[in-house]
Amino acid sequence: MAYTLSSGSARRPRLNRDAVLAAAVGIADRTGIDGLTMRTLADELGVVPMAIYKHVSGKDELIDGMVDIVWAEVELPDATAGWRSAMRARAVSMRGALSRHRWAVGLMESRMQPGPANLRQHNAMMGCLRESGFSFRNTVHVTSVLDAYVYGFALQEKTLPFDTAEESGQVAEQKRSTQPETAAQDYPYLMEVVVELMRSGYDYTVEFELGLDLILDGIERLRPEWADEAGR
Amino acid sequence: MAYTLSSGSARRPRLNRDAVLAAAVGIADRTGIDGLTMRTLADELGVVPMAIYKHVSGKDELIDGMVDIVWAEVELPDATAGWRSAMRARAVSMRGALSRHRWAVGLMESRMQPGPANLRQHNAMMGCLRESGFSFRNTVHVTSVLDAYVYGFALQEKTLPFDTAEESGQVAEQKRSTQPETAAQDYPYLMEVVVELMRSGYDYTVEFELGLDLILDGIERLRPEWADEAGR
DNA sequence: ACCTGAACACCGTTCAAGT
DNA sequence: ACCTGAACACCGTTCAAGT
């Protein structure tokens, strides 16, 4: 019976939701979120645009699904390791996911229907902090400052016009030589720092972890104080 | 001679670049960046879409100009006040500008042609830190961590589905009652924190300044250490 | 049950014309 | 010098049809 029903179009495996989402993530990774249209996605899948609407209600739901794929790539905090190293590992993992999927920066928290991986992640984060003795209020504070830093760093990383330390030098040099000669007079401090950056390079990972440790130190140092109000 | 040249259309003042940019910022503030199209902008100005292209080369240059208007609203750091209060005031001012112009979050650093207000701002920031004795390298570190925090906080503020402490409660309540009953079992820690947030409210300004002071403390405490390498 | 084709109401931008 | 109108190559999405 099975073979009597299979038609000549058995070439391409039947479309399903996961295949649609995976293809969409691939396109967005390669060409940016603007390069992802229902039409380019359909082309990639070897299908007509309207075929996608059988698996996803529209572009919004498509993006909801893509964002939850990124959330699923973020390591869950392991509370048994202690809150500090759990929070550190989670932040590092999240920055990694966001630099692999730059289109996702700015979308991670903005979806009205948070997906299961998103909920699981936040639940684990709250759980780790609460079990480590943070009050409700301080759990919110810690989440807020760490997430802001991770999102903001990822945003800068997405947004700055170089990817590697070597490229940072090239871009700085190019900018220096492109600017009108007046720039060095009008913005002397800026030029000085740009020239120095060019000389010594810029490593995103080193920079990220330096700031992260500074913030974790701040949380740790303030903790006894915050613990005073632990009942609340 | 002047009046012989003035035609019947003297009703609307002649279009110019500043008027175009100001109108565009207004539309983006009210309706979001998606609500700003060359066509809605033309309507607002009482003009046909193509008229705009005489004052701006296209949508990219339009947005470049809009972003620099936001930069111009950010208070320049006042080095005479000491680096810490200068950095604090600048960060608070920048968050203010970004919450008045939420469409600008994510665009502040992404323009290939930084405008004059942007360059002035960064020059003043570098100047304040360098004059306060920070090494080149540490000037970069401080800028990186502070900007990441401000951008990331603004991103969360733009992105979270409530604006005020009261609304945060309403949203939390609605989310709680909308979720399938299993949510409380699947995500107990998350639900607990959400319920607590609902009870006590959430104030963006308080939250922002708490994290900001934590980071400034971290910078201050690490400073002597960093100063050791001040020559470099 | 799943896919298709044509159409609609939008975009940003070009080009040739108007005054 | 500045503005206009029509057109082009794109969007996301609806609807009626095909198999």
Side-chain angles (χ1 to χ4, degrees), chain B residues 64-115:
Chain B
D64 282 345
M66 293 167 66
V67 165
D68 216 49
I69 286 178
V70 178
W71 274 115
E73 291 182 16
V74 182
E75 205 175 289
L76 289 175
D78 173 14
T80 67
W83 70 268
R84 180 172 176 142
S85 74
M87 288 300 110
R88 192 182 199 281
R90 193 202 90 109
V92 166
S93 169
M94 182 141 172
R95 174 195 159 242
L98 290 176
S99 66
R100 284 192 301 279
H101 307 293
R102 300 193 174 187
W103 52 269
V105 180
L107 299 178
M108 297 300 278
E109 299 282 8
S110 71
R111 314 314 293 176
M112 291 289 109
Q113 285 296 111

Side-chain angles (χ1 to χ4, degrees), chain A residues 3 9 24 29 31 60 72 104 131 144 153 174 177 199 224 228 232:
Chain A
Y3 59 86
S9 72
D29 287 348
T31 66
D60 266 9
E131 295 297 331
S144 170
F153 195 93
Q174 182 200 337
S177 60
R199 216 192 48 75
D228 287 350
R232 190 64 290 140

Side-chain angles (χ1 to χ4, degrees), chain B residues 112-150:
Chain B
M112 291 289 109
Q113 285 296 111
N118 179 344
L119 293 170
R120 209 176 304 125
Q121 179 63 232
H122 280 102
N123 185 63
M125 182 132 178
M126 304 297 156
C128 174
L129 290 168
R130 289 289 292 138
E131 296 297 332
S132 303
F134 286 88
S135 68
F136 285 114
R137 190 132 284 260
N138 291 336
T139 295
V140 172
H141 295 328
V142 170
T143 305
S144 170
V145 67
L146 281 176
D147 277 0
Y149 177 66
V150 175

Side-chain angles (χ1 to χ4, degrees), chain A residues 8-25:
Chain A
S9 72
R11 209 67 282 263
R12 170 175 44 73
R14 180 81 118 277
L15 221 53
N16 62 48
R17 191 166 199 274
D18 285 347
V20 169
L21 294 180
V25 168

Side-chain angles (χ1 to χ4, degrees), chain B residues 21-48:
Chain B
L21 293 180
V25 168
I27 294 174
D29 287 349
R30 292 194 309 275
T31 66
I33 197 74
D34 287 340
L36 173 70
T37 72
M38 297 309 261
R39 283 156 156 101
T40 58
L41 178 55
D43 276 357
E44 173 108 344
L45 294 165
V47 111
V48 94

Side-chain angles (χ1 to χ4, degrees), chain A:
Chain A
M1 178 179 183
Y3 59 86
T4 65
L5 286 178
S6 65
S7 75
S9 72
R11 209 67 282 263
R12 170 175 44 73
R14 180 81 118 277
L15 221 53
N16 62 48
R17 191 166 199 274
D18 285 347
V20 169
L21 294 180
V25 168
I27 294 174
D29 287 348
R30 291 195 308 276
T31 66
I33 197 73
D34 287 341
L36 174 70
T37 72
M38 296 309 260
R39 284 157 156 102
T40 57
L41 178 55
D43 276 356
E44 173 110 344
L45 293 165
V47 112
V48 94
M50 282 313 299
I52 296 165
Y53 287 76
K54 272 280 114 95
H55 303 95
V56 123
S57 74
K59 199 168 190 184
D60 266 9
E61 194 186 300
L62 178 72
I63 291 178
D64 282 345
M66 293 167 66
V67 165
D68 215 50
I69 286 178
V70 178
W71 273 116
E73 291 182 16
V74 182
E75 205 174 289
L76 289 175
D78 174 13
T80 67
W83 70 267
R84 181 172 175 142
S85 74
M87 288 301 109
R88 191 182 198 283
R90 192 201 91 109
V92 167
S93 169
M94 183 141 172
R95 175 195 159 241
L98 290 176
S99 66
R100 284 192 300 279
H101 307 293
R102 299 192 175 188
W103 53 269
V105 180
L107 299 177
M108 298 299 280
E109 299 282 7
S110 70
R111 315 311 296 176
M112 291 290 110
Q113 284 296 112
N118 179 344
L119 293 170
R120 209 176 305 124
Q121 179 63 233
H122 281 101
N123 185 63
M125 182 132 178
M126 305 297 156
C128 175
L129 291 167
R130 290 287 293 136
E131 295 297 331
S132 303
F134 287 87
S135 67
F136 286 115
R137 189 132 285 259
N138 291 336
T139 294
V140 171
H141 295 328
V142 170
T143 305
S144 170
V145 68
L146 281 176
D147 277 358
Y149 178 65
V150 174
Y151 288 134
F153 195 93
L155 186 60
Q156 287 185 294
E157 196 168 352
K158 166 193 186 175
T159 239
L160 286 176
F162 52 85
D163 281 339
T164 65
E166 302 81 58
E167 267 184 63
S168 76
Q170 293 163 18
V171 169
E173 168 56 28
Q174 182 200 337
K175 171 167 273 178
R176 203 187 51 72
S177 60
T178 304
Q179 294 294 332
E181 294 130 21
T182 61
Q185 292 160 33
D186 291 347
Y187 314 110
Y189 292 110
L190 179 56
M191 282 300 140
E192 223 183 14
V193 173
V194 163
V195 166
E196 179 60 20
L197 246 189
M198 177 180 63
R199 216 192 48 75
S200 60
Y202 185 86
D203 184 311
Y204 281 112
T205 301
V206 169
E207 196 70 39
F208 176 72
E209 299 192 354
L210 202 147
L212 178 59
D213 287 328
L214 183 152
I215 292 172
L216 289 168
D217 285 347
I219 293 169
E220 199 155 60
R221 203 162 32 88
L222 285 185
R223 234 195 128 212
E225 224 172 293
W226 290 7
D228 287 350
E229 43 155 338
R232 190 64 290 140

